Amino acid sequence: MTLHIAFIDDDPDLLAATTQSLELAGFEVAAFQSAQQALDQLPPDYPGAIISDIRMPGMDGIEFFRALRARDPELPVILITGHGTIEMAVQAMQEGAYDFLTKPYAPDHLLTAARHAATQRRLYMENRQLQQALQTEAGGPPLLGDSAIMVRLRNTLRHIADADADVLIEGETGSGKEVVATLLHRWSKRAPHRLVAVNCGALPENIIESELFGHEAGAFTGAQKRRTGLIEHASRGTLFLDEIESMPLAAQTRLLRVLENRKVQPLGSNEEREVDLRVVAASKVDLGDPAQRISFRADLYYRLNVITLRLPPLRERREDIPLLFAHFCALAARKFSRPAPPPSAQTLAQLETHDWPGNVRELAHYAERHVLGLTQYDACATLPAGQTLPARMEQYEAQVIKQTLAACRGSVKDTIAALGIPRKTFYDKLQRHGIQRSSFAETGASDETPD
């Protein structure tokens, strides 16, 4: 999805060159030669990040940053600093600026900072939109996603919700089959009545018929009193049969009769009782494929196959992952009573490159670990596309050194103590990464030389 950047600099040549670099990297760029112009033209809910020079005529970058922060505290602002503006940049970081770059900066550093800031902003805006949608959502859990396939699926659900036809839902484990079944019920005229969910794979074979169809007292050993089955219990409402491919053959035969005449005969009874229900069945395999159907009755499949909905796996709708991740982070933050931290570069890489074999359920658990601060320990974290492990480690090391220098106000003694490395190693790393220690030092602080 497109990432947005607003770039502000009073130097027209630098403005044009940087805008071109950002556009070639895939950003949608809004370029301005003054802070006031940007403030006047950027909407309050601008969906991207801001990169601004500090020293500009009229409103400078610090004033601009504070004006933006007053408008939206969550808007990420990256400041470009030259000699003499480092102290102001550090002060702005303490006030909430996203990052700062020192002149002359490498183009790759600018693009990396822009991508991280713009991605974080996109996640925040999607989360904001999500919360608004949740406040206006009428009944039922949200079926989230802006991808074309999810938009079509939601439209289809609303179209068939009141059709009262039986529905078969096919999708991989964790893809949201129960959410779809719940929405079909809550958007239908049966909503005032029960939604009865049955996991056919979790019921032992020796009791599934009794659970589904009910039994009379004395129908079998241990049946001391009459029991109403789940099918009859769902009458006037919706019966959701999850993992129906796991249903034993004997139960399939009895279920087929229920679907054909809408009558149920409890075990031990000679009487049939009418039931008024809609059946929604779910399978994690393609029951239309005889090779996957195995022991599932073909006639039951064709009876269920009035309307078939296929839920796409998460890997087929990757553009929905940021929105889903933001939603699950918000839920986890409420669940654990702690704020959701912004995603790190490693988290963003995981979201972009992982195949999510566990689908939405796996993503929800990953969001919970993120809120708990545990994702940094995930051994399965994948690398960004096209970036080797050594390159990623170098980038991470440089980032840690810069952050520690900034926190220690450029003090070599405090920085090497915090990093736990020898002084010579520290200076070797500064040289290898092209980091100027003096850029982080407080005004008037003397440089420290290696031993």
Side-chain angles (χ1 to χ4, degrees):
M1 296 178 68
T2 303
L3 297 177
H4 297 260
I5 287 290
F7 186 75
I8 299 93
D9 198 299
D10 62 314
D11 183 334
D13 294 333
L14 180 60
L15 182 67
T18 305
T19 298
Q20 184 180 42
S21 296
L22 289 166
E23 289 176 342
L24 289 173
F27 292 92
E28 185 170 317
V29 184
F32 304 96
Q33 280 192 259
S34 74
Q36 189 61 58
Q37 181 188 21
L39 200 61
D40 291 341
Q41 296 187 25
L42 290 175
D45 58 348
Y46 179 64
I50 310 293
I51 303 177
S52 174
D53 193 13
I54 287 185
R55 291 198 177 278
M56 294 184 292
M59 179 185 291
D60 64 25
I62 299 298
E63 292 177 292
F64 179 48
F65 158 68
R66 288 170 179 161
L68 291 171
R69 188 161 178 79
R71 176 190 286 182
D72 185 348
E74 303 300 330
L75 185 63
V77 179
I78 299 171
L79 297 172
I80 299 174
T81 68
H83 180 71
T85 60
I86 297 296
E87 185 176 7
M88 288 190 292
V90 171
Q91 177 64 34
M93 289 283 287
Q94 293 173 346
E95 293 181 25
Y98 183 83
D99 201 354
F100 67 89
L101 303 173
T102 56
K103 294 180 178 179
Y105 51 81
D108 287 347
H109 291 173
L110 175 70
L111 294 177
T112 298
R115 184 167 290 107
H116 289 169
T119 302
Q120 179 177 314
R121 178 62 172 177
R122 186 182 71 189
L123 289 172
Y124 173 79
M125 294 300 293
E126 288 173 339
N127 187 46
R128 178 187 289 179
Q129 294 168 5
L130 170 67
Q131 297 305 319
Q132 294 172 350
L134 290 177
Q135 292 174 5
T136 58
E137 178 72 28
L143 187 63
L144 301 177
D146 294 327
S147 58
I149 192 169
M150 295 306 291
V151 171
R152 287 196 301 271
L153 179 59
R154 283 195 298 270
N155 291 337
T156 300
L157 290 179
R158 291 195 178 277
H159 182 68
I160 68 174
D162 269 336
D164 224 22
D166 294 336
V167 177
L168 177 62
I169 307 170
E170 295 180 348
E172 295 180 3
T173 298
S175 58
K177 297 185 291 295
E178 188 167 356
V179 172
V180 170
T182 302
L183 288 178
L184 276 172
H185 175 73
R186 296 193 180 179
W187 289 347
S188 75
K189 60 188 177 185
R190 296 181 178 271
H193 306 289
R194 295 186 185 94
L195 168 64
V196 178
V198 182
N199 188 326
C200 301
L203 289 175
E205 186 171 351
N206 60 334
I207 69 168
I208 188 170
E209 289 190 62
S210 173
E211 290 293 314
L212 285 175
F213 305 99
H215 63 257
E216 298 294 329
F220 51 86
T221 303
Q224 298 179 356
K225 58 183 179 180
R226 176 185 174 186
R227 175 182 176 82
T228 299
L230 294 173
I231 293 176
E232 189 174 355
H233 187 60
S235 189
R236 301 178 66 196
T238 303
L239 177 67
F240 174 50
L241 299 174
D242 197 10
E243 295 190 27
I244 195 170
E245 74 278 6
S246 302
M247 182 178 287
L249 277 171
Q252 291 180 38
T253 302
R254 295 175 64 92
L255 177 62
L256 178 60
R257 182 170 178 81
V258 172
L259 295 179
E260 288 176 341
N261 60 21
R262 270 0 191 214
K263 293 180 181 180
V264 62
Q265 183 177 356
L267 299 178
S269 174
N270 293 323
E271 297 180 358
E272 291 185 324
R273 301 171 189 159
E274 291 190 0
V275 288
D276 171 20
L277 52 77
R278 178 190 214 172
V279 176
V280 178
S283 170
K284 60 179 179 289
V285 301
D286 180 6
L287 293 178
D289 181 357
Q292 296 187 50
R293 194 161 59 226
I294 310 176
S295 60
F296 196 82
R297 291 179 60 117
D299 51 359
L300 178 56
Y301 164 69
Y302 292 122
R303 181 60 185 80
L304 285 170
N305 190 28
V306 179
I307 300 174
T308 299
L309 301 174
R310 178 185 177 273
L311 297 192
L314 200 52
R315 61 184 175 274
E316 291 183 9
R317 54 181 187 112
R318 304 195 67 89
E319 60 267 45
D320 292 333
I321 291 176
L323 176 63
L324 288 164
F325 180 70
H327 168 63
F328 291 129
C329 282
L331 294 180
R334 289 198 295 269
K335 177 180 178 180
F336 301 122
S337 299
R338 61 175 65 188
S344 65
Q346 290 76 18
T347 299
L348 294 175
Q350 177 79 346
L351 294 176
E352 292 174 2
T353 61
H354 188 51
D355 278 341
W356 305 104
N359 294 295
V360 178
R361 186 176 299 139
E362 181 186 0
L363 180 62
H365 293 165
Y366 183 75
E368 289 190 346
R369 294 199 302 275
H370 172 73
V371 171
L372 292 172
L374 301 177
T375 50
Q376 58 183 311
Y377 303 113
D378 281 358
C380 63
T382 54
L383 295 175
Q387 190 175 38
T388 64
L389 177 61
R392 181 180 176 187
M393 295 303 296
E394 288 286 304
Q395 183 181 22
Y396 180 71
E397 182 179 76
Q399 180 183 358
V400 170
I401 293 173
K402 288 179 181 179
Q403 291 174 344
T404 308
L405 275 168
C408 296
R409 301 295 184 90
S411 168
V412 173
K413 179 180 177 181
D414 293 343
T415 301
I416 62 176
L419 294 174
I421 59 176
R423 183 183 293 267
K424 184 178 185 305
T425 301
F426 171 71
Y427 278 98
D428 288 343
K429 292 182 181 297
L430 290 187
Q431 184 176 6
R432 184 169 75 249
H433 297 303
I435 301 172
Q436 296 293 325
R437 194 230 31 120
S438 58
S439 299
F440 300 87
E442 293 182 327
T443 303
S446 60
D447 196 2
E448 300 179 55
T449 55
D451 293 337

